Amino acid sequence: MTYFSAEQRNVIRMLYPAKYEEYSLILESFGDFVQKEILPTAESIDKNGTFPKENMDRIFKQGFTNIPYPENLGGLGLPYPLYVACMELVSKACASTAISLAIHGTVCDGLFRFGNEDQHEKYLQPLITGEKLGAFALTESGSGSDAKAMQTRAQLEKGEWHINGSKMYITNSGKADYYFVFAKTAKGHASIVVPKEAKGFSHGANIPKMGLRGSSLMGLNFDDVVVPEANLVGKDGEGFEYAKKMLAAGRITIAALSVGIAQTALEKSVSYSKERRAFGHPLSDFEITQGKIARMKTEIDASRLATYYAGYRKSIEEDYTTEACEAKLFATEMALDVCNEAIQIHGGYGYTDEADVHRHWRDAKLMTIGEGTSEIMEIVISNAVLGQ
Ligand SMILES: Cc1cc2nc3c(=O)[nH]c(=O)nc-3n(C[C@H](O)[C@H](O)[C@H](O)COP(=O)(O)OP(=O)(O)OC[C@H]3O[C@@H](n4cnc5c(N)ncnc54)[C@H](O)[C@@H]3O)c2cc1C
């Protein structure tokens, strides 16, 4: 059995029957690498709260972030669902590493879609190759779900942007080289690249959190930060639309991360249920345990289908806004349920740190909150269905 699972393989075969062998080989080799190099680090990254820089560098070297980008930008020009499959594999091994990469990937996606040629060369290429790290700065202490209510302002004066305000709960902060920052302007909203060395830019201390303990989380301060006019991504006034589009793609990756976390919780549960005995039998002999395992597997497989389908729509340039929200809503809530059942199957041992099972539940919880909460997913989906 390879780390790139039979279930993942089947979805790739369904999407790309003619290229199935080639794509499977790529993903199998990436899965082997993740299992050997990333998986063994996950428990200590969580326990010590270590930022997974070494893991990320190893993954960058494998060409992971290159996958969906054209060859002229240093990418591999492969379809987006292969990137989704890699995201699932990294998350199955170490969710802290996966979330740091996912946010970095959201920045790459935004620069690719809305940036100009100069920005592709200056910012996107070093991000794709992993020489530089990106962060996505939208949320503020007073505006999360209601992101449009942001207070950070950017003003254009004599060919330079002056940015004032603050951001909150920004993944990769303190570690990133480029911050993709959203701010209010006279024309609406703008998205502006702020390099870490920009004068007036600073970040707070790392914010302790229940899961994804290896990922960094900080607030950012913009005290009359000045960057060149050329750092504006796309058009002034369109920034909020870019944020929504970047979040839509980000939601597919958060769904993939959830599938990976749930898959690892299932695999641990299967092994433990065969080893642990009660009433003279392994737990796996009991119908109630079998029912739990069956539901966990079914829900993971259904989530994977929804997730790769949303990724497929992105790759063929069909609108995927609703499908990404459906995948995120379903997969993130599923991961929480599956990880909860995994703790239950492990009994008292599952509640202890020694078992390293509650890590998955703690990691999964963020998935229902970040890049839009489950409630916001319900609003977007129901608006599409009801035509509102
Ligand atoms: C670990 C972590 C990493 C993060 N990384 C980033 C990052 O890299 N970049 C970034 O910009 N942000 C990031 N965030 C912020 C995250 O995106 C926000 O926390 C999230 O969007 C929710 O916003 P909020 O926390 O302000 O909650 P609120 O918006 O205050 O919501 C609180 C509750 O009210 C509910 N709610 C809100 N509005 C409605 C409504 N209309 N109807 C029903 N219920 C509603 C919400 O669903 C939620 O349950 C991160 C957060 C965390 C915890």
Side-chain angles (χ1 to χ4, degrees), residues 10-68:
N10 287 336
V11 182
I12 296 296
R13 178 162 51 194
M14 182 178 71
L15 294 177
Y16 303 105
K19 295 266 191 175
Y20 157 68
E21 300 283 351
E22 179 191 335
Y23 292 167
S24 290
L25 274 179
I26 294 170
L27 292 169
E28 200 171 299
S29 125
F30 185 75
D32 289 349
F33 152 79
V34 165
Q35 185 176 27
K36 193 162 155 249
E37 305 274 336
I38 308 299
L39 179 64
T41 66
E43 193 176 344
S44 84
I45 281 177
D46 176 69
K47 286 215 164 94
N48 303 318
T50 321
F51 184 69
K53 173 87 174 82
E54 280 178 27
N55 279 353
M56 292 168 83
D57 285 345
R58 286 187 193 131
I59 292 169
F60 286 137
K61 269 202 198 123
Q62 293 284 314
F64 166 78
T65 34
N66 295 9
I67 291 174

Side-chain angles (χ1 to χ4, degrees), residues 99 103 135-146 167-172 182 209 211-212 215-217 247 366 368-376 379:
I99 190 73
I103 298 296
F136 174 85
L138 178 67
T139 304
E140 299 184 1
S141 52
S143 58
S145 303
D146 182 13
K167 296 285 171 184
M168 187 45 109
Y169 300 150
I170 306 304
T171 299
N172 288 346
F182 297 89
K209 53 191 174 333
L212 300 171
S215 70
S216 77
L217 190 74
L247 284 170
L366 181 271
T368 68
I369 296 171
E371 308 235 0
T373 62
S374 291
E375 291 78 8
I376 297 302
I379 291 171

Side-chain angles (χ1 to χ4, degrees), residues 273-286:
S273 71
K274 288 181 180 172
E275 285 161 20
R276 175 73 178 170
R277 297 179 72 85
F279 303 100
H281 292 270
L283 299 180
S284 58
D285 276 5
F286 302 129

Side-chain angles (χ1 to χ4, degrees), residues 247-304:
L247 284 170
R251 284 165 188 163
I252 302 174
T253 56
I254 296 295
L257 261 57
S258 306
V259 174
I261 293 171
Q263 182 67 36
T264 224
L266 170 64
E267 288 176 13
K268 284 185 180 177
S269 303
V270 169
S271 303
Y272 189 78
S273 71
K274 288 181 180 172
E275 285 161 20
R276 175 73 178 170
R277 297 179 72 85
F279 303 100
H281 292 270
L283 299 180
S284 58
D285 276 5
F286 302 129
E287 283 182 12
I288 289 180
T289 311
Q290 292 164 1
K292 284 185 196 295
I293 301 275
R295 273 203 314 277
M296 290 159 89
K297 160 107 170 96
T298 305
E299 286 169 15
I300 292 170
D301 287 352
S303 299
R304 184 180 291 107

